[in-house]
Amino acid sequence: LARRPPRSIVSWRPVPTGTSGGVSAPGIAAAVAGATFIACASAALGWPRDTAAAALVGGLAGSTIDSLLGATVQVRRWCDRCNAPTERATHSCGATTRVVAGIAWLDNDVVNALSTAAGGLLGLLAAA
């Protein structure tokens, strides 16, 4: 939805839309807004201030860690049939893809799980 192409969170060079580790101003704003919304909701429910701080820090940290892992260690694959990059083991054309970068078992689902866990832990530390 951004007017400009996303940029790699690591090199800050433009990357194609949908590239793991690509960030944009609207995406960062959405992450901030989402974490702020959850923090405000917890405050509105009368939960302790530490809970709001944990939500804000954890949400922002998890989002940032997701982009960093996506840009650095998440598996990247290539479809030789279509000559196209993909994150899938089987491309939409039906061809089996090959690993060209990253850690073979570290797919988007694993990155999401790690980022969620890290964001949660950092949120807990912020609330302590």
Side-chain angles (χ1 to χ4, degrees):
L1 299 175
R3 292 183 180 163
R4 296 181 183 179
R7 293 186 172 267
S8 166
I9 194 168
V10 174
S11 69
W12 212 245
R13 293 184 187 134
V15 294
T17 300
T19 300
S20 292
V23 297
S24 65
I28 293 168
V32 170
T36 301
F37 175 80
I38 299 300
C40 290
S42 72
L45 291 170
W47 294 353
R49 276 188 156 168
D50 291 351
T51 305
L56 187 63
V57 170
L60 294 175
S63 172
T64 302
I65 291 166
D66 183 86
S67 293
L68 286 169
L69 291 176
T72 57
V73 294
Q74 182 174 326
V75 68
R76 286 186 237 340
R77 297 176 163 275
W78 186 261
C79 176
D80 288 319
R81 182 184 294 170
C82 298
N83 249 359
T86 184
E87 292 181 357
R88 298 179 181 171
T90 303
H91 194 236
S92 57
C93 71
T96 301
T97 62
R98 60 185 169 90
V99 174
V100 293
I103 300 170
W105 58 266
L106 213 152
D107 64 8
N108 191 56
D109 294 333
V110 176
V111 166
N112 289 342
L114 292 173
S115 301
T116 300
L121 288 173
L122 290 168
L124 282 174
L125 289 174

